[in-house]
Amino acid sequence: MSNPIALEPALDRMRKILTISESRLRNVILSFQEEMRRGLAGEPGSLKMLPTYIDLPTGREKGPFLALDLGGTNVRIIRVDLPGDRTVPRFLSDHFRLSRRDISTDGPVLFGAIARFIGRFLQGQGRTGPWNMGFTFSFAIRQSSIDRGELIGWTKGWTAEGVVGRDVVDLLNRALAAEGIAAVKVVSLNNDTTGTLMAGAYLDPDCDVGCILGTGTNMCYRERTSSFRKPIGHYPGEFMIVNMESGNFDAALLRTPYDALLDARSENPGLQAEEKMVSGKYLGETARLIIADLVGRGMLFGGRLPEAFAAPGEFGSERLSEIEEDPSPTAEGVRSRLKTWGIEAGGVDARALREVARAVSGRAARLAAAVLVACVTKNDPALERAHAAAVDGSLYQKYSGFRGRMEETVRELLGARAGGLRLNPVPDGSGFGAAVIAAVSSR
Ligand code: GLC
């Protein structure tokens, strides 16, 4: 039986446990900076602080390069003609969707599919090569130089066997050789955050942070090489980009029972705590768990869970975003949207769903802003220099109102200093940046 009278207090409680006050965000900032220091020192902690063996571009990098962008829903290949003058380059790109089988079988299946895709793309190019290619691989990699790196562990639901612990450039080269593709030389390997930062910095010299808010989330930033207390091998530069793997941040985060349930059922329990509260892969699922709970307690949909909310992982964050698109008091737009997904909702149900969506995405935007502020203020607390963060990813670019709420929180946290940190959207940054990195490293 439906119990709508109890709904309001239950929604209040839900909002309460998902709302992060300013003082809690300040705790998050302090803990995040402490974890950064630990990671640089090689002490146990939740931030890996991985060296990337690359520093910012000059903006004068020039010429044609290939970029392979792997790690989200689509694999993309891009031909980038870097103009050498800090302007947006010309792109020619193609993409294909990896199947569930591609990402969950093994290395040869995954890299074989990618190599065949590259082969098809090259056939359409007027130029036979050789091509210098930069490879964006959007997972945690232990690099020892710019052109090699072992996968530390899968995230975002990927599980292909036999790849963890292996050099992914070597796996790609083998697959290319097996397909008879000799025109491509993989000259560099990078994480998507590093790619985004390098693309952002190619266009804007103030850029010193890269941030991805998409299927997963992560940040990188520019650090003095001497700040590494852990051994990083040979690297002559004074500065280096550090891939934090910030999605794994796990201190001062207050986890709700829904977060605990989501984590326990995930492919990587106990890991990526911040990512599971913030990124696109998980927002829909968090909302679904809350909705299922409210329905189970008889407060929504007359106590019967609509089919669309029944299966774990099936209610995507894009849908949450669509629910939030309608601000009307009656939530008429939400109801008609729900109808297209086969959900018959009354006005109360529709408004409650929108409340759940707002609370889940609001928490994500606030946390994303706090860790960004933490990163930038670690080395420049008073923001004496101008900083820009290059940001890319579907959540940031497409989720209804996400960007605005994130920027609002940055202003709340930085107050009068907020002008010292700009957020620069860099669409396709992770691909374009791989070309910049290829150019810097083949200089
Ligand atoms: C996951 C990966 C990380 C990547 C991020 C965004 O957190 O571990 O390497 O940068 O997703 O794609």
Side-chain angles (χ1 to χ4, degrees):
M1 260 318 285
S2 196
N3 183 6
I5 299 167
L7 177 61
E8 272 315 315
L11 286 178
D12 276 344
R13 162 120 194 94
M14 180 271 312
R15 272 189 293 261
K16 192 151 177 255
I17 60 174
L18 290 173
T19 301
I20 318 188
S21 66
E22 188 188 321
S23 73
R24 271 184 53 207
L25 286 183
R26 298 207 182 277
N27 274 341
V28 166
I29 293 176
L30 291 178
S31 305
F32 193 88
Q33 291 175 339
E34 177 55 26
E35 294 286 291
M36 287 174 83
R37 285 187 201 97
R38 282 169 184 274
L40 289 170
E43 293 165 12
S46 61
L47 295 180
K48 294 189 178 69
M49 307 301 280
L50 301 166
T52 64
Y53 302 92
I54 195 89
D55 189 17
L56 298 182
T58 59
R60 291 190 298 275
E61 293 76 8
K62 199 172 157 75
F65 291 90
L66 284 184
L68 175 67
D69 190 357
L70 172 67
T73 342
N74 289 315
V75 184
R76 285 168 40 91
I77 177 124
I78 314 171
R79 175 191 163 151
V80 184
D81 288 287
L82 294 175
D85 61 1
R86 292 207 184 277
T87 55
V88 179
R90 281 193 307 132
F91 288 171
L92 203 94
S93 78
D94 197 4
H95 62 90
F96 90 110
R97 223 181 162 73
L98 289 168
S99 66
R100 189 78 230 156
R101 178 174 172 270
D102 292 332
I103 65 171
S104 60
T105 308
D106 57 25
V109 168
L110 175 63
F111 286 95
I114 294 163
R116 283 190 293 281
F117 165 64
I118 295 176
R120 285 197 298 278
F121 181 82
L122 290 180
Q123 275 166 18
Q125 297 301 308
R127 184 173 170 272
T128 50
W131 290 97
N132 281 343
M133 184 166 88
F135 179 16
T136 294
F137 185 69
S138 310
F139 297 94
I141 33 185
R142 186 170 292 112
Q143 286 186 260
S144 47
S145 62
I146 189 59
D147 62 353
R148 50 177 303 147
E150 294 157 10
L151 173 64
I152 297 175
W154 288 122
T155 46
K156 301 180 280 196
W158 290 44
T159 53
E161 276 178 33
V163 186
V164 173
R166 299 281 303 276
D167 173 13
V168 292
V169 174
D170 181 51
L171 292 178
L172 177 60
N173 278 333
R174 283 168 195 262
L176 289 170
E179 292 299 321
I181 301 169
V184 172
K185 181 160 189 262
V186 185
V187 295
S188 57
L189 172 68
N190 61 272
N191 182 258
D192 51 351
T193 53
T194 317
T196 300
L197 169 52
M198 294 294 277
Y202 188 80
L203 303 172
D204 175 351
D206 288 343
C207 244
D208 54 4
V209 177
C211 173
I212 297 284
L213 288 157
T215 310
T217 184
N218 185 13
M219 290 188 299
C220 70
Y221 75 112
R222 187 181 197 221
E223 181 62 277
R224 237 171 232 295
T225 310
S226 59
S227 302
F228 278 102
R229 294 281 147 73
K230 64 183 174 191
I232 57 164
H234 177 70
Y235 176 77
E238 192 186 347
F239 289 92
M240 194 197 286
I241 312 301
V242 181
N243 168 16
M244 294 197 268
E245 286 295 317
S246 56
N248 195 48
F249 173 64
D250 192 6
L253 295 176
L254 293 186
R255 220 174 296 186
T256 68
Y258 306 113
D259 299 312
L261 189 58
L262 180 144
D263 179 56
R265 290 179 180 170
S266 70
E267 283 94 354
N268 50 356
L271 299 173
Q272 303 295 105
E274 192 251 7
E275 179 161 273
K276 285 171 182 162
M277 293 182 177
V278 169
S279 81
K281 180 167 168 56
Y282 304 101
L283 297 189
E285 179 62 5
T286 307
R288 190 193 71 84
L289 291 172
I290 298 173
I291 293 160
D293 179 37
L294 294 174
V295 175
R297 288 151 64 201
M299 293 170 190
L300 283 181
F301 296 107
R304 279 185 305 274
L305 189 65
E307 193 57 36
F309 299 116
E314 291 296 306
F315 193 76
S317 303
E318 319 76 52
R319 288 190 166 185
L320 273 199
S321 170
E322 288 182 40
I323 288 176
E324 286 197 59
E325 262 162 36
D326 169 22
S328 73
T330 57
E332 249 337 289
V334 178
R335 289 181 69 189
S336 46
R337 195 51 64 82
L338 290 170
K339 216 180 211 132
T340 64
W341 306 330
I343 306 172
E344 286 298 335
V348 173
D349 297 328
R351 283 194 297 275
L353 247 52
R354 189 172 57 194
E355 285 307 296
V356 172
R358 282 180 179 158
V360 170
S361 66
R363 178 179 71 163
R366 285 178 72 75
L367 268 180
V371 295
L372 176 64
V373 165
C375 171
V376 178
T377 53
K378 171 185 170 284
N379 290 338
D380 185 9
L383 295 184
E384 284 163 12
R385 282 175 288 114
H387 300 268
V391 195
D392 194 11
S394 49
L395 188 63
Y396 181 76
Q397 305 277 12
K398 297 196 191 129
Y399 193 107
S400 172
F402 193 91
R403 202 159 135 185
R405 280 176 289 177
M406 196 176 156
E407 284 170 357
E408 197 179 295
T409 310
V410 168
R411 285 194 294 274
E412 176 183 335
L413 293 169
L414 290 176
R417 295 171 298 155
L421 170 59
R422 274 174 295 125
L423 270 62
N424 290 356
V426 187
D428 294 326
S430 56
F432 156 25
V436 175
I437 295 173
V440 171
S441 53
S442 51
R443 220 173 9 212

